[in-house]
Amino acid sequence: MKIAVSATGKGLDSQVERRFGRCPNFVIVELDDKSMKIKGIEDVGNTATAQMGGAGITASQLVADMGVKAVITGNMGPRAFQVFSQLGIEVYQGAGTVKEVAEKYAKGGLERMAEATGPMHPGMRGSR
Amino acid sequence: MKIAVTGGKGGTGKSTIATSLALVFSKLGKNTMLVDADVDCPDDHLMLSMKRKKARDVHQPVPKFDSRKCTKCGKCASVCKQNCIVFVEGKPPAFVPDMCIGCKACIVVCPSGAVSEGRKKIGEIYTGSSHGIELVSGQLGIGQLASGEMVSETRKFSESVESKKSIELSIIDSAAGIGCPVIASITGTNFVVAVTEPTPSALSDLDRVLKVVNHFNVPYGLVINKYDLSDKFGKKVEMFARKNDIPIIGKIPYDKKFIESAIKMKPVISSSEEFEGMFSGMAEKINNIIQKKK
C-alpha cells in the first residue's frame, strides 16, 4: 500500500512539511502489505505551491491520483480535508523525518486528524 | 424610475451622495427607496442610523451528487473551471462547495443524471426605513465569490418591495470598481450618477466606468465631489466632461461636515440648509435630463 507524506524536500530523510497544499514535495512511500516495511519511495513535486487559491484542492488531487491510502502532514486546511474525507483517504498528523513518520504510521502510532487543523491559505501568510 | 450611483474609484463619496439624493428626492415628494448594492461593504444604513432587519437569505446553485447513480466517469470534474470537483479513478467525485460559483456545467455534462441542483447560502438581504425612505441592503457572505449575483438578487428583491410599497424612485448605490457587481447595479436603470473627485486616479477610474455605462446605453451625469481640493485637477475633470459631452450635475466642496455627519451617523443634508439646497438642485437637474431623454 502507498501513503503520501508532505515534505520539505526529497527522499526519506527530508522533514515533514507543516503545510499540506503548499509543501514543496510529496514523498510517496510504499509499504509492504504484510510486513508493513518500507518497500520503495517516489518523489512527486507539488505543482500547487505557487497557486493563487485552491492549492489544497490541487495538491489533494495530485496525491489522490497516486492511489494512496493515507496522507501524513503537519496541518491541513478545510478544502483539502474535505476532499480526502469524501474520497475515503485517511489523514494523519506527523512531525520528524519522512522515514520516522512512515514507520510510526506502519506501527499504528500516528494520530488521525478528525478535522482540518488550519484555516484556508495558511501557506500564503507573510510571516511564519 | 431607477438611478444608479457609481464612479469607479472607491472613496469618492458614492454612498454619501446616493443617501443624500434619496433623502432630497423623498423631500421633493417622491416615494423613494435606497438600494445598497455595495454588497461587499454595505453601510448606507450606518449613514442614516438605521437598524436593518434581515429579510431573507440568498442562495446560489451548487451541484448535489448522487453516488448511487454515479458511473465514475469524471466528466463533472473535467468541466469544472473553478477546480472544486476532484475526481480519482474508481471513486465518486469529491466536491468543495466554497469555491463553486454555480455555473452548473457539471449538472449539464453528467451522462447518468447523478448531479442535480442543490444550493448554498451566499449572503443576506436586509430592509429598513428611516428619514422617510425605504432601504434594501444586500450583504455578501465572507469569502463568497458571487458578488454580481448577490447584487442581482438584491435588486430583484428591491423590485418586489417597490411594487408592494408603491415606490416611485429607487437609488441604487453601487460598489467601487467596474466589474460584475457594478455592471449588475447599472443594468436596467434610467440614469447613472458618476461620482468623481479631482485626483488622477479618480479620473482614470471614471473614464473606465463610463465605458461600461456607455455599453449599457444609460444616460449619465457627473458629480465632482471635493472639487476644490485641487483647482488644477478640478478643471481637468471639467474639461474631460466637456470634451465627452457629459453634463455636470453638481460640484460639491470639501467640507468637514461630511465627515462629522458620517461619524454621527446623521444625513449630511440635515447639517445645513446649504447642503440640502445643493442636493435638491442636483435632483432637479437629474429629473430634467431624464424628462428630456423620454
Side-chain angles (χ1 to χ4, degrees):
Chain A
M1 66 177 265
K2 284 187 199 168
I3 59 169
V5 185
S6 70
T8 55
K10 290 182 178 175
L12 283 171
D13 293 329
S14 62
Q15 293 289 315
V16 174
E17 162 73 51
R18 282 195 294 173
R19 300 168 299 173
F20 172 76
R22 292 176 197 279
C23 74
N25 190 54
F26 290 108
V27 184
I28 311 294
V29 182
E30 183 154 18
L31 298 169
D32 186 86
D33 288 339
K34 281 189 190 146
S35 69
M36 291 297 271
K37 289 231 160 77
I38 297 173
K39 251 177 29 181
I41 65 152
E42 187 182 345
D43 285 304
V44 179
N46 185 7
T47 51
T49 47
Q51 202 167 302
M52 271 268 287
I57 301 178
T58 307
S60 54
Q61 172 91 62
L62 188 79
V63 166
D65 278 337
M66 299 300 294
V68 301
K69 193 174 170 263
V71 177
I72 303 168
T73 185
N75 288 298
M76 187 178 284
R79 288 170 178 161
F81 193 82
Q82 277 179 61
V83 171
F84 287 128
S85 49
Q86 288 177 54
L87 294 177
I89 295 170
E90 295 169 354
V91 183
Y92 293 84
Q93 203 157 20
T97 66
V98 173
K99 187 163 181 249
E100 282 165 12
V101 293
E103 284 171 348
K104 235 183 184 177
Y105 167 81
K107 287 186 201 139
L110 282 185
E111 199 177 325
R112 193 162 160 196
M113 258 186 221
E115 57 187 15
T117 53
M120 272 181 273
H121 305 131
M124 287 183 86
R125 293 203 172 120
S127 57
R128 285 172 51 77
Chain B
M1 193 165 76
K2 292 180 176 65
I3 300 169
V5 179
T6 192
K9 185 180 171 293
T12 55
K14 290 179 295 298
S15 295
T16 306
I17 287 161
T19 317
S20 304
L21 283 176
L23 293 174
V24 293
F25 271 115
S26 159
K27 284 198 170 188
L28 292 170
K30 278 215 157 76
N31 206 356
T32 306
M33 178 161 73
L34 180 61
V35 181
D36 196 346
D38 188 354
V39 297
D40 279 311
C41 303
D43 38 33
D44 287 352
H45 59 289
L46 297 176
M47 302 198 148
L48 298 164
S49 302
M50 197 189 277
K51 273 234 165 81
R52 300 179 305 173
K53 267 196 192 142
K54 190 170 131 183
R56 73 174 190 88
D57 289 333
V58 174
H59 295 90
Q60 175 206 290
V62 288
K64 235 168 50 191
F65 296 86
D66 184 344
S67 58
R68 286 166 304 173
K69 285 189 190 164
C70 178
T71 57
K72 296 161 192 162
C73 70
K75 279 186 180 145
C76 54
S78 71
V79 295
C80 180
K81 291 263 194 270
Q82 283 299 104
N83 191 26
C84 53
I85 304 173
V86 174
F87 173 70
V88 178
E89 213 59 59
K91 289 181 182 178
F95 172 58
V96 184
D98 74 287
M99 301 269 287
C100 177
I101 54 164
C103 76
K104 303 191 208 176
C106 52
I107 299 174
V108 174
V109 82
C110 177
S112 59
V115 192
S116 60
E117 193 174 327
R119 56 181 208 169
K120 71 165 176 182
K121 187 178 157 183
I122 59 165
E124 294 171 342
I125 294 173
Y126 294 83
T127 55
S129 65
S130 76
H131 300 81
I133 59 170
E134 300 289 328
L135 175 79
V136 169
S137 169
Q139 187 163 300
L140 190 69
I142 304 289
Q144 294 300 332
L145 306 171
S147 54
E149 172 130 5
M150 187 64 214
V151 172
S152 299
E153 289 298 318
T154 304
R155 288 195 54 192
K156 247 189 247 166
F157 180 85
S158 75
E159 273 162 26
S160 70
V161 178
E162 268 168 31
S163 47
K164 249 185 253 159
K165 303 215 164 173
S166 25
I167 298 289
E168 295 162 279
L169 170 73
S170 291
I171 307 263
I172 297 143
D173 182 18
S174 103
I178 63 164
C180 291
V182 175
I183 289 168
S185 302
I186 291 168
T187 179
T189 57
N190 305 83
F191 192 79
V192 169
V193 176
V195 182
T196 193
E197 63 183 21
T199 61
S201 47
L203 183 58
S204 167
D205 299 351
L206 175 73
D207 188 29
R208 281 166 64 76
V209 80
L210 289 181
K211 283 186 177 123
V212 177
V213 181
N214 271 325
H215 174 83
F216 288 98
N217 223 354
V218 181
Y220 53 87
L222 200 60
V223 171
I224 310 173
N225 193 15
K226 316 171 217 175
Y227 77 91
D228 51 354
L229 278 183
S230 159
D231 272 351
K232 203 175 125 205
F233 218 84
K235 287 213 175 76
K236 240 186 183 165
V237 176
E238 287 187 51
M239 253 167 62
F240 169 85
R242 216 173 309 138
K243 217 174 84 190
N244 295 287
D245 211 13
I246 306 164
I248 295 176
I249 297 160
K251 282 162 71 179
I252 304 172
Y254 179 77
D255 194 314
K256 284 220 168 117
K257 285 207 183 85
F258 282 91
I259 299 150
E260 284 159 13
S261 303
I263 291 167
K264 284 188 196 146
M265 300 166 78
K266 293 224 164 78
V268 72
I269 62 158
S270 57
S271 72
S272 92
E273 278 179 16
E274 184 198 338
F275 287 149
E276 186 172 339
M278 194 169 66
F279 281 103
S280 300
M282 287 185 221
E284 269 162 36
K285 268 194 191 165
I286 294 169
N287 253 339
N288 291 341
I289 297 172
I290 295 174
Q291 292 311 321
K292 257 190 232 160
K293 298 265 174 189
K294 266 183 185 169

